[in-house]
């Protein structure tokens, strides 16, 4: 039974919209600041390195080319010196770090969440399964292999990005793996105040339904940064508000007041006994489930663009046939 406490930090700061190196430096500084306050888990916003592609929300597709190519140039390769720097910081301070990045994999970009364990190892690399609306011009799709809960120094962590939380089956896939701490990532400084309100509802609901703590981080843009993305006052309104950095208990309550404006780091102690307390009443994947009536089929295989048979004597197995079924 869980009977320990985890000190968590949710970081809401502005990226460096001009360079990956500048944003990585801000990540490392925030890790130091949060660790100095005793944090054992530190969460950053969606695609924080180098920055969320805010331009794609306000620019028409025909004008996005230069900024999209610049994002390719500044995007993160995994692994790389950038990810190693974060891994080294996690290991040095003995903290778990969850970081959103724009990942470049050859000719494609992905919305990727990285979970670094306290020993600096990369416990999870997952890609957002369905980019939302304007994001489909920017990122490719992830697969079911990323819907995975991992064991870390602070407990079992699952993660989803932004509107993946509106896919109940994606959330349930993590719940069936008994996540204890759920990490949410949103861009922040987008859409307006209603976005922040929606994020709060979503995070509190997932905490209640999963019986897990939720640590959610959203980004922040300064007015100067907003001006640099668009000089149209009407479009600038779409790059304001929408922040809801929060830490929520399994009972659906804010552990500390949420952060909705400006930069800052929320710090809260998570009493992990509340996970069992909540699940005693309602375990969505246990005593409260009815799998004989309703159950999830989760294809957790990684997708691949090609399957090569190197040995001419190796019989080809259709990709949709399970190995255990061959020859039956």
């Amino acid at each position: 039974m869980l009977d320990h406490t985890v000190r968590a930090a949710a970081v809401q700061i502005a990226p460096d919209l001009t360079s990956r190196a500048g944003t990585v430096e801000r990540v490392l500084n925030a890790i130091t600041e949060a660790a100095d306050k005793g944090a054992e888990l530190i969460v950053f916003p969606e695609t924080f390195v180098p920055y969320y592609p805010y331009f794609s929300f306000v620019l028409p597709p025909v004008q996005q080319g230069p900024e999209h190519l610049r994002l390719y140039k500044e995007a993160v390769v995994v692994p790389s010196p950038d990810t190693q720097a974060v891994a080294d910081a996690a290991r040095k301070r003995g903290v778990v770090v969850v970081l959103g990045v724009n990942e470049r994999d050859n000719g494609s970009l992905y919305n990727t969440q990285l979970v670094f364990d306290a020993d600096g190892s990369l416990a999870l690399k997952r890609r957002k399964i369905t980019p939302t609306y304007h994001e489909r011009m920017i990122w490719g799709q992830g697969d079911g292999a990323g819907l995975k809960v991992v064991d870390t120094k602070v407990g079992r962590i699952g993660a989803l990005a932004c509107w993946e939380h509106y896919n109940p089956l994606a959330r349930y896939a993590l719940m069936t793996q008994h996540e204890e701490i759920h990490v949410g990532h949103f861009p922040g400084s987008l859409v307006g105040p209603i976005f922040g309100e929606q994020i709060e509802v979503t995070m509190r609901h997932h905490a209640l339904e999963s019986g897990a703590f939720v640590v959610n981080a959203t980004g922040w843009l300064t007015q100067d940064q907003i001006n640099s993305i668009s000089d149209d006052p009407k479009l600038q309104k779409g790059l304001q508000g929408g922040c809801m950095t929060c830490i929520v208990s399994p009972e659906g309550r804010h552990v500390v007041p949420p952060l909705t404006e400006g930069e800052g780091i929320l710090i809260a102690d998570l009493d992990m006994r509340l996970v069992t307390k909540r699940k005693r009443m309602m375990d969505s994947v246990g005593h409260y489930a009815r799998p004989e009536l309703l159950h999830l089929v989760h294809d957790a295989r990684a997708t691949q663009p090609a399957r090569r048979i190197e040995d001419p004597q190796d019989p080809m197995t259709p990709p949709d046939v399970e190995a255990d079924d061959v020859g039956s």
Side-chain angles (χ1 to χ4, degrees):
M1 183 178 294
L2 299 172
D3 60 359
H4 62 285
T5 299
V6 173
R7 177 161 289 187
V11 179
Q12 181 171 294
I13 56 176
D16 184 336
L17 294 181
T18 66
S19 77
R20 177 181 65 246
T23 302
V24 170
E25 182 178 0
R26 296 184 184 191
V27 168
L28 299 179
N29 290 340
I31 290 174
T32 297
E33 180 179 349
D36 284 345
K37 296 178 180 178
E40 302 165 88
L41 167 65
I42 306 172
V43 175
F44 290 88
E46 180 179 7
T47 58
F48 188 66
V49 182
Y51 43 79
Y52 179 84
Y54 293 100
F55 66 86
S56 65
F57 189 63
V58 296
L59 293 181
V62 71
Q63 296 179 6
Q64 290 183 23
E67 282 301 309
H68 199 180
L69 288 173
R70 188 167 75 90
L71 185 61
Y72 266 84
K73 180 180 178 181
E74 298 295 334
V76 176
V77 175
V78 183
S80 65
D82 300 299
T83 60
Q84 189 59 52
V86 178
D88 290 344
R91 184 182 66 253
K92 179 181 178 181
R93 300 307 300 262
V95 297
V96 177
V97 176
V98 186
L99 176 65
V101 302
N102 289 271
E103 179 197 1
R104 179 171 181 176
D105 186 352
N106 293 293
S108 294
L109 297 179
Y110 297 93
N111 178 331
T112 298
Q113 293 172 294
L114 304 177
V115 179
F116 298 91
D117 207 348
D119 61 0
S121 62
L122 185 59
L124 178 66
K125 183 189 84 168
R126 69 166 307 270
R127 294 168 174 173
K128 186 175 183 180
I129 55 176
T130 303
T132 303
Y133 191 50
H134 59 286
E135 297 171 351
R136 295 176 191 174
M137 295 287 295
I138 306 299
W139 299 315
Q141 294 181 321
D143 57 35
L147 294 173
K148 182 180 179 181
V149 173
V150 293
D151 286 307
T152 71
K153 182 181 178 182
V154 298
R156 291 182 59 74
I157 290 180
L160 293 174
C162 203
W163 275 17
E164 286 187 305
H165 292 92
Y166 291 164
N167 186 326
L169 298 184
R171 294 192 300 106
Y172 197 71
L174 300 183
M175 290 159 59
T176 63
Q177 299 171 62
H178 311 293
E179 61 178 356
E180 297 163 352
I181 300 174
H182 178 83
V183 170
H185 287 164
F186 287 79
S189 291
L190 204 68
V191 179
I194 190 173
F195 195 26
E197 296 169 9
Q198 293 169 345
I199 293 170
E200 180 182 25
V201 170
T202 304
M203 295 298 94
R204 296 181 71 178
H205 176 73
H206 184 72
L208 278 169
E209 194 170 74
S210 66
F213 281 94
V214 172
V215 182
N216 183 68
T218 59
W220 172 258
L221 291 179
T222 67
Q223 188 59 51
D224 285 345
Q225 288 177 319
I226 293 172
N227 294 342
S228 73
I229 297 169
S230 174
D231 58 6
D232 185 334
K234 293 182 179 179
L235 294 180
Q236 288 180 358
K237 291 181 179 180
L239 299 174
Q240 295 173 335
C243 294
M244 178 53 63
T245 294
C246 58
I247 301 174
V248 182
S249 81
E251 296 175 323
R253 294 176 173 176
H254 290 288
V255 183
V256 291
L259 184 59
T260 60
E261 290 188 6
E263 295 186 299
I265 300 178
L266 292 187
I267 302 286
D269 290 327
L270 315 184
D271 182 352
M272 301 305 291
R273 294 176 299 178
L274 291 178
V275 173
T276 304
K277 181 180 178 182
R278 172 61 179 167
K279 290 188 174 181
R280 181 183 72 87
M281 299 293 293
M282 199 283 296
D283 183 359
S284 293
V285 299
H287 62 78
Y288 210 72
R290 290 296 304 276
E292 77 281 14
L293 303 179
L294 302 164
H295 65 274
L296 170 67
V297 177
H298 171 198
D299 187 345
R301 294 173 295 181
T303 57
Q304 298 180 357
R307 182 177 183 273
R308 294 179 176 83
I309 306 299
E310 301 292 348
D311 184 349
Q313 302 304 314
D314 184 15
M316 180 177 291
T317 302
D320 58 345
V321 176
E322 296 291 345
D324 291 343
D325 294 334
V326 176
S328 61

